[in-house]
Amino acid sequence: MPSPEFLLGIVNALGVFALITLGYSYLLRYTQPGVVRSVAIGLMFGVGACLAIANTTEFIPGLFIDPRAVMLVLAAPFGGLLSAVIAAAIACAARLHEGGVGGPAGAGNIVATALIGVLFARYVIGDARSISIGKLFAMGLASNIPLLFILTVPVPNAAEHFMRAVGPLTVADTLGVLVLGRVLSDAWRAHQSAERLSVEATTDPLTGLSNRRHFERRVGPLLQQANHQGTPVSLLVIDVDHFKRINDSFGHEAGDTVLVWIAEIVRSQVRGCDIIARYGGEELVVAMPGADSRRAMTVAERIRAVIEAKGRIEPGDGHRITVSIGVSTRLARYADLFSAADEALYAAKRQGRNRVVTEPVAVAQAA
């Protein structure tokens, strides 16, 4: 029969775990996937395991039991390998600091539990963090296998102590993994849904570029900063020549393929700081912060030349894919910048298409 102190320790630990896992949703929301997020999640799970150890029950002098396994086994599935290593390292340090004859066995238990989480993440769960109840239950049960380390503690009647501890801890750990794992899984699903809605609201579904609304929202602050610093901003307006003819001759699916291909060409020819968007129909725009007229013209001509050289609907087909590009460089409101580039684009169309034309207005000097 588990002691009242043990049961109270379980309740306290699970309450702390529930509060800590609330931080998981914040980490998903405010950090990008990568090392920083993995480290933060590892620290979070490691602190949770330490709090479990702090609320431990001393079964016999030097032998402590607690539900640390809940946090350790969940670290890898919800944070990755790096998170599991960090959590295990923190928990090991805390357990060894507690001391006692069971210190080395406790450290071994921690490493083995984290390893079970890694194996589940790699071979059972995979990349998806939306985990079924059945898999959580299996992982909860498996997290108790390292309790066998109790048998290595150099105390009399180690097997008897193991039998006394295994029942209550198995129930507590399995229940903890089920409850907290479900909370984390729900947080992950909510984050994925929010990310998907955000992408749908800001991205053109065909090309994967920003849509017009998102582009204009991003360019506004960029122009304000450029006006404040006195640096130029160039805008390219790119239009596919005879796009209606492509749709009529080869079908709308071919037209979509052309747009996707041109979007990839534009991506490959501009800088990472440049903002690209599908503005509507067959028209793309590129905002180039800090680029003067000469650089903008060079980039625009390179885009035009690559598309002309490689653009074919079908091998051996005589129809070339070409674009006309209008370029504007100035310190001005976005409406004026776009209007000038759009006028330059129509000038390129009037002059025969498949060319780059820049607006004649010089870059204004900062006051």
Side-chain angles (χ1 to χ4, degrees):
M1 179 75 178
S3 67
E5 293 81 6
F6 173 73
L7 295 176
L8 181 61
I10 295 292
V11 172
N12 289 338
L14 293 178
V16 171
F17 292 164
L19 291 175
I20 290 178
T21 52
L22 291 176
Y24 184 68
S25 62
Y26 289 95
L27 291 175
L28 291 178
R29 182 175 180 181
Y30 294 112
T31 63
Q32 296 297 318
V35 174
V36 172
R37 178 185 286 182
S38 294
V39 169
I41 291 176
L43 291 172
M44 183 182 72
F45 283 121
V47 169
C50 289
L51 290 172
I53 293 172
N55 284 283
T56 192
T57 297
E58 190 171 21
F59 228 46
I60 59 172
L63 177 59
F64 304 91
I65 60 172
D66 52 69
R68 74 192 76 166
V70 176
M71 299 304 288
L72 292 169
V73 81
L74 291 174
F78 290 99
L81 176 61
L82 180 58
S83 297
V85 170
I86 292 172
I90 294 173
C92 277
R95 179 61 190 90
L96 292 173
H97 178 73
E98 288 287 321
V101 295
N109 175 290
I110 288 169
V111 173
T113 304
L115 180 60
I116 288 171
V118 171
L119 293 175
F120 262 80
R122 177 69 177 85
Y123 296 107
V124 178
I125 298 169
D127 292 333
R129 290 174 175 82
S130 181
I131 309 173
S132 68
I133 291 293
K135 290 179 180 179
L136 285 172
F137 181 74
M139 187 162 57
L141 289 177
S143 70
N144 292 281
I145 294 174
L147 289 175
L148 292 168
F149 275 92
I150 293 177
L151 298 175
T152 68
V153 179
V155 295
N157 302 318
E160 179 183 344
H161 294 311
F162 169 78
M163 295 305 297
R164 288 175 57 197
V166 68
L169 271 179
T170 297
V171 172
D173 288 345
T174 303
L175 181 62
V177 171
L178 280 171
V179 173
L180 298 182
R182 192 65 179 180
V183 170
L184 295 176
S185 185
D186 288 345
W188 174 258
R189 281 198 299 268
H191 170 70
Q192 289 294 92
S193 296
E195 288 278 293
R196 185 167 55 253
L197 290 174
S198 176
V199 169
E200 290 174 357
T202 60
T203 306
D204 172 60
L206 177 64
T207 62
L209 301 175
S210 294
N211 58 25
R212 177 173 179 169
R213 180 180 298 178
H214 189 227
F215 176 81
E216 292 179 348
R217 190 181 300 130
R218 295 176 65 190
V219 170
L222 185 150
L223 285 171
Q224 290 179 358
Q225 182 181 13
N227 285 323
H228 178 72
Q229 296 176 348
T231 55
V233 175
S234 291
L235 184 71
L236 278 55
V237 180
I238 306 168
D239 189 85
V240 184
D241 295 329
H242 301 297
F243 187 69
K244 185 177 184 303
R245 187 183 301 171
I246 295 173
N247 280 334
D248 292 343
S249 300
F250 300 96
H252 289 278
E253 186 175 346
D256 289 347
T257 301
V258 168
L259 286 175
V260 171
W261 177 73
I262 289 177
E264 289 300 320
I265 294 294
V266 174
R267 276 197 190 98
S268 70
Q269 299 299 320
V270 301
R271 303 167 300 177
C273 63
D274 296 332
I275 305 172
I276 318 169
R278 183 184 179 191
Y279 211 65
E282 68 271 24
E283 195 169 81
L284 309 182
V285 290
V286 182
M288 304 178 65
D292 58 19
S293 180
R294 178 178 298 179
R295 175 168 180 79
M297 284 290 291
T298 300
V299 172
E301 177 57 33
R302 191 166 63 232
I303 292 171
R304 185 208 63 78
V306 171
I307 292 172
E308 181 188 27
K310 298 182 178 181
R312 289 283 192 281
I313 300 293
E314 296 175 355
D317 179 72
H319 186 92
R320 281 184 174 275
I321 301 170
T322 62
V323 295
S324 299
I325 305 177
V327 181
S328 174
T329 304
R330 56 169 67 187
L331 296 178
R333 296 182 304 114
Y334 172 71
D336 297 331
L337 185 67
F338 179 81
S339 178
D342 202 41
E343 285 295 325
L345 171 65
Y346 279 103
K349 296 286 189 181
R350 288 193 298 269
Q351 293 174 26
R353 296 183 171 84
N354 189 26
R355 66 190 65 233
V356 177
V357 173
T358 184
E359 52 104 9
V361 182
V363 176
Q365 296 296 317

